[in-house]
Amino acid sequence: MNLYDKIHQNTTNQPEATALIYFGFRISYKRLVKLIEQTASKLHKMGIGHGDIVSVALPTTPESIAIIYALNKIGAVACTIDVRYTAEQVATIVNNTRSKMLFVMNFNLKAIAKVASSICAEHIVVMRGCEIFPRQVAFWYALGEWFNGRKLAFHSNARFMHWDDFVGTDGNNDTPCHNWQKDEAQLIFQTSGTTGNSKSVLLTAENIEMTRQATNDFLNSPSHNDCILSLIPLFAFYGFLTTVHLPLSLGMRIVIVPIWKPKDFIKLIGRHQPQHIFMVPSIWDSIYDPSNQHIDLSSLKTATVAGDVVNPVFERDINAFLKANGHHRSLTKVYGMTETAGSIAVTPENSANKYEVGFSGHIIGGHRVSIINDEVCISPSTRFLGYYHEPEATANLIQKHQDGSLWIHTGDIGFIDENGDLYVIGRKKRMIVRHDGTKVFPVEIETMLLKCPKVKSCAVIGS
């Protein structure tokens, strides 16, 4: 169960088809696989092998995608890190996971250099984000870096090295594909959980493949000719699965948007005519504008939202916005969490309940869901390995019940209706309990407030 195999199959089937579009530059499946193999060869020669962990603190770029698949090919584990984390946070994750290498962006280099002596990684590879560009374009990009003060000159050495010096020119496919077992940890993603402290979530080959299949099932008429906008970074599992691995496994083309600007949405839609978009509520909020009636969304087959509870008033507005601009399906809401490798429930098309508070839809992926003391608990269809080297946190999350079954306690408050549909109405820690024991859910009050035309957004807290 190798992630790399999914990409390599498409090179055989459609080698010249576009896999990635990055700042207007097209990278074919053949070229992407060559970059993956070149990276895998270099990693292997630097001593990275089966079971080793490598930290990747990068946004979505062709190189960061190649790094993750190259590590997967040789049997190493990619540990993704949010590029917005502080150098101290990065150092903590690298050390806690005992990562042998670290990939970072040049804009984080100064901060990382200050804590480098405390980082266990043997090598730190620095990226600029323009490595894939043709030489002439890279030259102008470099000039822009100088003028904007982003150019950080240093000479590659055994500890710090430029990407070009790291990958070299060796493109030989001399690294065999590791045969992953279904319960081996393949990827590590960070989650804040309910405490605000970053935890490293171990995901297996089986976790990832099950979610890939479940996500593919709710896409509307997917085709290898389809296009996806990659707006969610790959250091978030939802972003990696839905806007990188799923489309690449299906032979689609991905438009990488490493720097998100709401004003660019109209241009992106017009230029690429995507068939599928995956977003979080904050991105939908940033682009929603009732006056934008000139956007042609008729190319869309699937428009999704995940990552937080969607207010019914806001959902109605988005659906009206989509319909007015040519997309005649409702917004698909997805409920899940990193610890379950994503999707747990999805809202069906034309559901009569879709505008009820917290409606999350049908349970998918073979998972079992139960409500225990108002909390949504999940017995996943695949084994969850837990948090890396955090047995106490893992034990708090995965609890054994009296019948011996294991359940993930999500920290979300919800219920299941008579049809077996799941409703998630907020976080356990946000629930307000009055002096008389009455439970008040902020989302219900927020929904009522948002019905007032003079209220654009609101948040309800207990006092």
Side-chain angles (χ1 to χ4, degrees):
M1 301 181 75
N2 195 299
L3 303 182
Y4 167 80
D5 287 339
K6 298 287 184 184
I7 315 303
H8 191 267
Q9 289 171 8
N10 288 318
T11 304
T12 303
N13 299 333
Q14 47 177 21
E16 301 305 328
T18 298
L20 310 174
I21 301 175
Y22 182 65
F23 287 110
F25 293 96
R26 292 177 177 265
I27 296 97
S28 67
Y29 273 89
K30 181 179 179 180
R31 187 179 179 189
L32 175 60
V33 166
K34 182 179 180 180
L35 180 60
I36 293 171
E37 292 176 347
Q38 189 176 349
T39 307
S41 176
K42 187 63 176 183
L43 286 165
H44 180 69
K45 288 178 179 179
M46 294 185 71
I48 304 299
H50 176 225
D52 290 332
I53 297 176
V54 172
S55 287
V56 183
L58 300 173
T60 307
T61 69
E63 291 78 16
S64 61
I65 292 173
I67 291 166
I68 289 177
Y69 283 104
L71 290 166
N72 189 264
K73 181 187 179 187
I74 63 177
V77 180
C79 173
T80 66
I81 302 176
D82 193 327
V83 295
R84 297 165 297 187
Y85 280 6
T86 65
E88 289 74 18
Q89 287 175 305
V90 172
T92 297
I93 294 169
V94 170
N95 292 336
N96 286 348
T97 57
R98 297 173 176 83
S99 295
K100 293 185 69 174
M101 291 184 68
L102 168 64
F103 289 85
V104 297
M105 289 301 294
N106 64 340
F107 56 72
N108 286 332
L109 179 57
K110 285 184 178 178
I112 292 294
K114 291 179 180 178
V115 298
S117 61
S118 67
I119 293 178
C120 68
E122 298 171 14
H123 307 286
I124 299 174
V125 181
V126 183
M127 313 286 297
R128 293 169 58 206
C130 67
E131 285 80 3
I132 204 72
F133 294 164
R135 185 173 300 176
Q136 299 90 334
V137 178
F139 170 77
W140 290 107
Y141 185 91
L143 283 180
E145 287 181 313
W146 280 111
F147 283 115
N148 294 323
R150 293 186 289 112
K151 182 67 174 179
L152 298 174
F154 70 94
H155 294 290
S156 291
N157 53 49
R159 188 79 195 286
F160 285 90
M161 62 185 71
H162 293 286
W163 167 261
D164 290 340
D165 296 318
F166 159 74
V167 78
T169 58
D170 182 7
N172 295 328
N173 183 15
D174 57 358
T175 52
C177 283
H178 174 69
N179 182 25
W180 290 90
Q181 300 303 305
K182 67 178 185 180
D183 58 352
E184 277 189 286
Q186 278 193 331
L187 296 172
I188 297 176
F189 288 87
Q190 307 306 311
T191 180
S192 60
T194 58
T195 66
N197 297 319
S198 176
K199 303 183 188 70
S200 296
V201 180
L202 295 163
L203 295 181
T204 69
E206 189 179 33
N207 296 151
I208 298 164
E209 179 58 20
M210 184 68 73
T211 303
R212 189 193 71 84
Q213 293 177 9
T215 307
N216 181 51
D217 289 343
F218 68 72
L219 291 182
N220 295 309
S221 304
S223 164
H224 69 273
N225 294 317
D226 287 352
C227 173
I228 279 187
L229 287 184
S230 179
L231 299 174
I232 306 173
L234 57 62
F235 51 72
F237 179 73
Y238 179 61
F240 171 76
L241 189 282
T242 60
T243 67
V244 175
H245 185 56
L246 174 65
L248 288 179
S249 71
L250 296 174
M252 297 180 181
R253 66 186 183 278
I254 303 170
V255 179
I256 299 174
V257 187
I259 303 174
W260 167 243
K261 296 179 182 178
K263 66 180 181 179
D264 292 339
F265 184 72
I266 297 176
K267 295 179 182 177
L268 289 168
I269 292 291
R271 183 178 303 146
H272 301 289
Q273 293 291 294
Q275 281 66 54
H276 312 280
I277 51 177
F278 292 82
M279 301 193 191
V280 293
S282 60
I283 297 181
W284 278 112
D285 187 48
S286 69
I287 65 171
Y288 169 65
D289 185 346
S291 66
N292 282 338
Q293 299 302 312
H294 58 288
I295 304 177
D296 182 7
L297 299 178
S298 60
S299 67
L300 285 182
K301 297 178 181 179
T302 313
T304 67
V305 63
D308 203 352
V309 174
V310 180
N311 189 283
V313 176
F314 179 63
E315 185 180 357
R316 285 181 187 273
D317 289 341
I318 291 296
N319 280 333
F321 171 75
L322 292 170
K323 185 176 181 179
N325 289 286
H327 178 61
H328 299 293
R329 290 182 177 270
S330 297
L331 192 65
T332 299
K333 294 182 295 185
V334 182
Y335 169 72
M337 56 193 299
T338 304
E339 287 85 342
T340 60
S343 309
I344 295 296
V346 62
T347 55
E349 180 70 18
N350 300 322
S351 171
N353 301 329
K354 66 182 176 184
Y355 293 129
E356 293 186 17
V357 174
F359 179 66
S360 300
H362 299 335
I363 297 163
I364 63 173
H367 304 295
R368 288 191 298 154
V369 178
S370 181
I371 308 300
I372 302 172
N373 296 326
D374 297 317
E375 183 179 11
V376 178
C377 296
I378 301 165
S379 180
S381 59
T382 57
R383 181 188 175 197
F384 171 53
L385 297 182
Y387 300 120
Y388 187 83
H389 280 192
E390 292 198 55
E392 184 176 343
T394 300
N396 288 333
L397 179 75
I398 309 174
Q399 300 180 23
K400 181 177 289 189
H401 291 194
Q402 289 183 346
D403 62 356
S405 60
L406 297 175
W407 291 81
I408 292 177
H409 286 243
T410 67
D412 291 325
I413 298 297
F415 62 91
I416 298 174
D417 68 10
E418 64 277 5
N419 298 317
D421 288 332
L422 176 65
Y423 292 72
V424 179
I425 55 179
R427 295 292 294 169
K428 193 173 181 179
K429 288 195 172 184
R430 279 200 76 204
M431 183 175 68
I432 302 167
V433 182
R434 298 194 335 181
H435 66 281
D436 59 358
T438 302
K439 298 172 182 176
V440 179
F441 301 103
V443 68
E444 295 177 338
I445 302 174
E446 291 163 357
T447 299
M448 296 302 296
L449 291 173
L450 285 171
K451 290 181 178 179
C452 174
K454 293 186 177 181
V455 177
K456 177 173 173 55
S457 64
C458 63
V460 173
I461 60 174
S463 61

